Amino acid sequence: MEISPAPRRSPVASVAELKAAIDVALQQIGDGQTAVQAAGEKLAEAQQTLAGALEGSGHETVEAAQASLTQASQELEECLAATLVAVEQAQLYVATL
C-alpha cells in the first residue's frame, strides 16, 4: 500500500491578497449591517403597529410581546455595535500591512 505525501500548504498570501480579502469581508459586513438596520426598522414598525392595535389592553401576553420586541431591537443594536468594532479592528489591521 502506497502512502501519498501530505498535501502541500499553499504559500502565504501576499499583502495585496490579504487587503483584497479584507476588503471583501468589509463589504460583506456592510451588507450585513444594512440588513440588521432594515430588520431594526421593521421591528420598530411592528412595535408601533402592535401598540396601536392593542392600546389599553393590560393583558400580560401583550406586555410580553412588547417586551420581546424591545429585547429583539436591543439585541440588533448590540449586533450592529459588534460589527462596527469588527470593521474598526479589520481597518486597523490593514493599516499595519
Side-chain angles (χ1 to χ4, degrees), residues 48-86:
Q48 290 178 344
T49 301
L50 188 60
L54 303 172
E55 188 175 343
S57 174
H59 199 276
E60 65 183 53
T61 57
V62 171
E63 293 172 9
Q66 287 288 16
S68 292
L69 288 174
T70 298
Q71 179 181 354
S73 294
Q74 291 168 346
E75 290 176 7
L76 284 175
E77 286 299 319
E78 291 170 8
C79 175
L80 191 56
T83 63
L84 293 173
V85 171

Side-chain angles (χ1 to χ4, degrees), residues 2 4 6-7 16 20 24 26 28-29 33-34 38 42-43 47 49 51-52 68 70 75 85 89-90 92-93 95 97:
E2 187 174 318
S4 58
V24 169
L26 290 174
Q28 292 168 332
I29 292 169
Q33 288 170 330
T34 300
K42 287 295 182 185
L43 282 179
Q47 279 183 296
T49 301
S68 292
T70 298
E75 290 176 7
V85 171
Q89 294 302 310
L92 286 172
Y93 178 70
L97 297 176

